[in-house]
Amino acid sequence: MAIRPILNVAESAAILKQVSAPVERVDDELRALMDDMLETMYDAPGIGLAAVQIGVLKRVIVMDLAKEGEEPQPRFFVNPEITWTSDETAPYEEGCLSVPEVYDEVQRPARVRLTWLDYDGVAHDEEVDGLFATCIQHEMDHLNGVLFIDHLSRLKRDRAIQRVKKVIREAA
Ligand code: K2U
Ligand code: ZN
C-alpha cells in the first residue's frame, strides 16, 4: 500500500479533464491500485476518490462514508455506470481533493441507480440516495473529466481556479 500524490486543478487540469478508460479485468494489479487509492483517500482525508485524481486514467472509484468513530466501510467501484437518475434533485456543499479549499453548493439528482464491479469483480446493481448518491455522482464526474466547479457559474469557476493557484503557491 502507498499514499500517492493527489493531482490539483492548478497544476494538472489537462489530466483531470481527460475521460478515463474502462477496466479490462479485475485482477491483483487493479486491487493493488484500489488499495493505494483507499490509503490515499483516508490520508487526505476524504470520503471518495477517483483514480484520475492520482493520475491513473482507469474507471475506478473508492469511497468510505463511515462517520468519525464508526467502523470504516470501504467501497470499491470498477466500471461504475449510472443507469437512472431521479427528477428530484438535492443540494450539497461540495468540496474536492483536487480543488483544495473551495466549497460551493451543487444540485444533483437525489437518487441514482448504479451498476458496478466490486473489489472481487462481482457485479452489483443498486439504487442509492443521500450522501452516497451525491458522492458517487461527484466521483463519476471525475471519470468523465468533469470537476464540481464545472457545474458553477463561469465567474465562480474562474475564481475557484485562482484560489487553488494561491493555495498551491502558498503551500510550496
Ligand atoms: O473526489 C473528491 O475529491 C473527494 C470528495 C468527495 C465528495 C465531494 C463532494 C461531496 C461528497 C463527497 C471530497 O473531497 S471528500 C471531502 C468531503 C468530506 C465530507 C463531505 C464532503 C466532502
Ligand atoms: Zn473531487
Side-chain angles (χ1 to χ4, degrees):
M1 298 252 272
I3 293 171
R4 315 265 280 256
I6 295 177
L7 304 184
N8 67 68
V9 69
E11 298 170 319
S12 308
I15 297 172
L16 291 166
K17 286 184 186 313
Q18 291 197 31
V19 176
S20 297
V23 167
E24 302 287 316
R25 76 186 66 77
V26 183
D27 55 16
D28 288 346
E29 185 183 345
L30 192 78
R31 278 185 278 272
L33 168 67
M34 291 191 277
D35 293 343
D36 284 358
M37 287 174 65
L38 196 64
E39 189 179 10
T40 300
M41 184 193 80
Y42 285 140
D43 176 70
I47 60 173
L49 192 72
V52 62
Q53 292 181 275
I54 59 168
V56 176
L57 288 171
K58 291 181 178 176
R59 300 187 77 80
V60 182
I61 291 165
V62 299
M63 192 189 298
D64 189 335
L65 303 180
K67 293 185 175 54
E68 281 288 305
E70 286 180 356
E71 191 63 25
Q73 197 181 0
R75 298 169 189 263
F76 305 90
F77 303 89
V78 177
N79 295 342
E81 290 185 38
I82 291 176
T83 57
W84 170 85
T85 59
S86 63
D87 293 336
E88 180 201 355
T89 62
Y92 196 89
E93 185 79 3
E94 297 197 10
C96 181
L97 299 174
S98 296
V99 188
E101 299 189 26
V102 172
Y103 301 92
D104 213 322
E105 183 178 296
V106 177
Q107 288 279 354
R108 296 184 189 270
R111 295 189 317 284
V112 298
R113 183 157 177 185
L114 189 65
T115 63
W116 74 96
L117 302 178
D118 67 16
Y119 193 82
D120 302 308
V122 173
H124 296 260
D125 182 346
E126 274 182 45
E127 187 179 311
V128 301
D129 63 4
L131 184 53
F132 193 157
T134 297
C135 185
I136 199 67
Q137 291 177 84
H138 176 107
E139 303 307 338
M140 289 287 295
D141 268 356
H142 276 301
L143 300 187
N144 296 322
V146 174
L147 296 173
F148 84 95
I149 55 173
D150 297 330
H151 296 289
L152 307 178
S153 69
R154 179 63 183 270
L155 178 65
K156 281 191 169 184
R157 185 182 173 282
D158 291 349
R159 280 186 178 157
I161 292 172
Q162 290 316 312
R163 169 111 183 99
V164 174
K165 285 179 178 170
K166 183 171 182 290
V167 166
I168 299 300
R169 212 174 28 246
E170 287 171 354

